Amino acid sequence: MIVSHIKSLFYLKGILRTSPISSSYVLLQQSSSIFTHKYCTGTVKKESFSVKYLIENCGFSPETALLVSKRVSFESSEKPDSVLELFRNCGFSDSQLRGIIGKVPSLLRSNPIKTIWPKLEFLLSKGASCSQLVEIVTRSPRYLKRSLADHIIPCYDFVKRFLPHDKRIITAINRCNGIICDSNMVSNVKLLLDNGVPESGIASLLHTWPRLLNLTKDQFSVAVEEVKKLGLDPSKSAFIPALYAKKTLNKGVWDRKVDVYKKWGWSDEAIDRAFSQHPYCMMKAEHKIEAVMGFFVNHLGWNSAVIAKNPVIISFSLEKRIIPRAFVLQHLQSRGLIKDTKVLRAFHIPEKTFLEKFVNSFKDDAPQLLKLYEEKMNLSS
């Protein structure tokens, strides 16, 4: 619908006419001598016009307008008017337009129908909503400077090899449109494939952490080798999250999390093994790590080495999974129905399975167990 609407607004031919000059422009003209002396001394007439236009039509401050005008100038409002009109009819706000023009001011000199609209229409044709379109372009307006035929479409088709559904590709682009703007994405994906990362791993990376693929080829290659040196197999599912963790966590954050684990008795070797097994254990916030370790060690009496061998536990929700299930296990132990609470599988299995095995199967205690479980879940909510 929006495609036909925009086309009708542009009469399928091209350019909107110049909008009437507003009263604020007249006021600006009246003070032109002062303005020119303060901001435009020594500049040519078209630069003065550009500054006034940027203030009048885009809402820039005089200082910002002067800076932007050094990167783009025009003597007529015809093209800028038609560019702004196209953006506004697509749902862009004035503040978003200022952000876009501030980053890529040359867009104001573009032909909106030949240069800008085809790239907007491309995303809409792939299922992008109006809000997604606005968000994608606002976040990275350089998308509109890339060639549709030579870059955007080839990159999109390359991504579709791993994410066959347009909806998933649009989601990935919305998270980082660098995957169809930058030149690094294709080479970085090929590097992963050459190292044995399966296509499912590439799909996971594109869908979850597409920004990682914006790294330069050299940066990305170094990161891949670093993770391989830790002993992670590129063909395994843990490799991609490990790559993300190592590249996005700075040394200070990484060292603080290492210190938290060491506080609970983990050695360097145990930390490396846990990371290799479940890289997400290093992506959790320090307070989350502390809370989970404290609950298992201090409240349940577990040895921290058990957690080190099963680091996925760190990723479980303390309030919605660990605590409610732990209280059920403690009740079963107090009734002599299980030997102890160190039942690892009780924390790994889905909720439905947990209720079947540790609640409903104990018929005499089932009502009380279910009440206890629900009380703890409600408290967490």
Side-chain angles (χ1 to χ4, degrees):
M1 182 178 292
I2 188 173
V3 174
S4 59
H5 174 62
I6 297 298
K7 283 183 175 178
S8 65
L9 286 169
F10 281 78
Y11 306 109
L12 298 177
K13 293 181 180 178
I15 305 173
L16 288 172
R17 298 293 104 197
T18 305
S19 301
I21 299 176
S22 66
S23 58
S24 57
Y25 182 80
V26 176
L27 291 174
L28 201 59
Q29 279 188 315
Q30 292 172 351
S31 58
S32 61
S33 59
I34 299 174
F35 180 87
T36 301
H37 176 73
K38 187 172 183 180
Y39 297 109
C40 302
T41 301
T43 64
V44 296
K45 183 178 180 181
K46 65 178 181 179
E47 290 177 326
S48 176
F49 178 85
S50 300
V51 172
K52 294 175 184 179
Y53 184 91
L54 291 167
I55 296 170
E56 172 79 13
N57 295 277
C58 300
F60 285 112
S61 67
E63 294 81 3
T64 304
L66 184 61
L67 291 174
V68 174
S69 72
K70 294 181 183 300
R71 298 164 61 196
V72 64
S73 60
F74 37 86
E75 297 176 338
S76 165
S77 66
E78 185 172 350
K79 273 192 177 179
D81 278 350
S82 62
V83 169
L84 295 178
E85 187 71 12
L86 172 59
F87 279 127
R88 285 172 176 141
N89 281 316
C90 285
F92 290 82
S93 68
D94 288 345
S95 62
Q96 289 166 333
L97 282 176
R98 282 193 294 276
I100 291 170
I101 301 305
K103 291 177 182 176
V104 190
S106 60
L107 287 172
L108 288 176
R109 297 185 63 179
S110 300
N111 182 313
I113 294 303
K114 292 181 178 180
T115 303
I116 299 175
W117 171 243
K119 295 159 192 176
L120 301 178
E121 185 179 31
F122 177 77
L123 292 176
L124 292 170
S125 71
K126 297 302 181 181
S129 66
C130 296
S131 60
Q132 286 176 321
L133 177 71
V134 169
E135 190 172 351
I136 289 169
V137 175
T138 301
R139 185 177 294 140
S140 185
R142 62 203 167 96
Y143 165 77
L144 298 174
K145 300 297 290 182
R146 299 311 301 255
S147 167
L148 183 63
D150 297 336
H151 186 87
I152 294 173
I153 292 177
C155 284
Y156 190 95
D157 291 342
F158 182 79
V159 171
K160 198 160 189 175
R161 169 183 169 183
F162 309 99
L163 300 176
H165 301 295
D166 288 327
K167 184 177 180 180
R168 293 191 70 192
I169 300 177
I170 292 299
T171 299
I173 294 172
N174 199 24
R175 288 174 178 164
C176 174
N177 72 6
I179 63 176
I180 57 170
C181 287
D182 290 342
S183 303
N184 299 313
M185 184 272 295
V186 173
S187 62
N188 288 339
V189 168
K190 288 180 177 178
L191 176 65
L192 291 175
L193 293 172
D194 291 343
N195 277 275
V197 175
E199 292 195 359
S200 59
I202 305 296
S204 175
L205 178 55
L206 284 166
H207 183 71
T208 311
W209 302 302
R211 289 186 181 277
L212 196 60
L213 293 169
N214 284 356
L215 295 173
T216 66
K217 187 175 181 180
D218 289 342
Q219 291 173 326
F220 197 75
S221 180
V222 168
V224 168
E225 290 304 314
E226 184 179 1
V227 175
K228 286 168 64 178
K229 286 179 182 178
L230 291 174
L232 281 95
D233 184 348
S235 67
K236 304 299 182 184
S237 61
F239 188 83
I240 293 299
L243 181 65
Y244 176 80
K246 288 298 291 183
K247 198 57 198 173
T248 57
L249 295 178
N250 64 52
K251 187 177 185 301
V253 174
W254 182 276
D255 289 345
R256 288 199 301 271
K257 293 181 181 182
V258 166
D259 289 341
V260 172
Y261 283 120
K262 284 186 174 181
K263 169 187 171 182
W264 293 99
W266 290 20
S267 64
D268 287 325
E269 293 75 15
I271 294 170
D272 288 344
R273 283 196 303 271
F275 177 70
S276 298
Q277 182 181 341
H278 185 68
Y280 296 93
C281 71
M282 292 301 289
M283 297 187 212
K284 300 303 172 184
E286 294 161 54
H287 67 83
K288 170 70 185 300
I289 299 170
E290 284 275 16
V292 172
M293 295 294 289
F295 184 79
F296 275 103
V297 175
N298 297 332
H299 185 78
L300 297 183
W302 288 35
N303 189 309
S304 67
V306 177
I307 311 286
K309 294 177 181 178
N310 297 271
V312 68
I313 288 175
I314 300 293
S315 292
F316 294 154
S317 170
L318 187 65
E319 295 83 4
K320 294 184 178 297
R321 178 180 291 217
I322 294 174
I323 291 176
R325 296 188 186 191
F327 274 89
V328 169
L329 296 175
Q330 286 181 320
H331 180 86
L332 291 173
Q333 182 187 29
S334 69
R335 296 271 291 143
L337 299 174
I338 60 174
K339 291 183 178 180
D340 60 49
T341 60
K342 297 181 180 63
V343 187
L344 273 173
R345 64 189 178 94
F347 297 96
H348 287 263
I349 56 180
E351 182 179 38
K352 182 179 179 181
T353 307
F354 175 80
L355 292 174
E356 289 174 355
K357 290 183 175 294
F358 294 97
V359 175
N360 297 331
S361 61
F362 301 98
K363 294 184 179 179
D364 292 341
D365 292 75
Q368 187 175 356
L369 288 169
L370 183 60
K371 181 181 179 182
L372 176 63
Y373 180 79
E374 291 176 344
E375 283 177 352
K376 298 303 176 184
M377 287 291 286
N378 290 334
L379 281 175
S380 71
S381 299

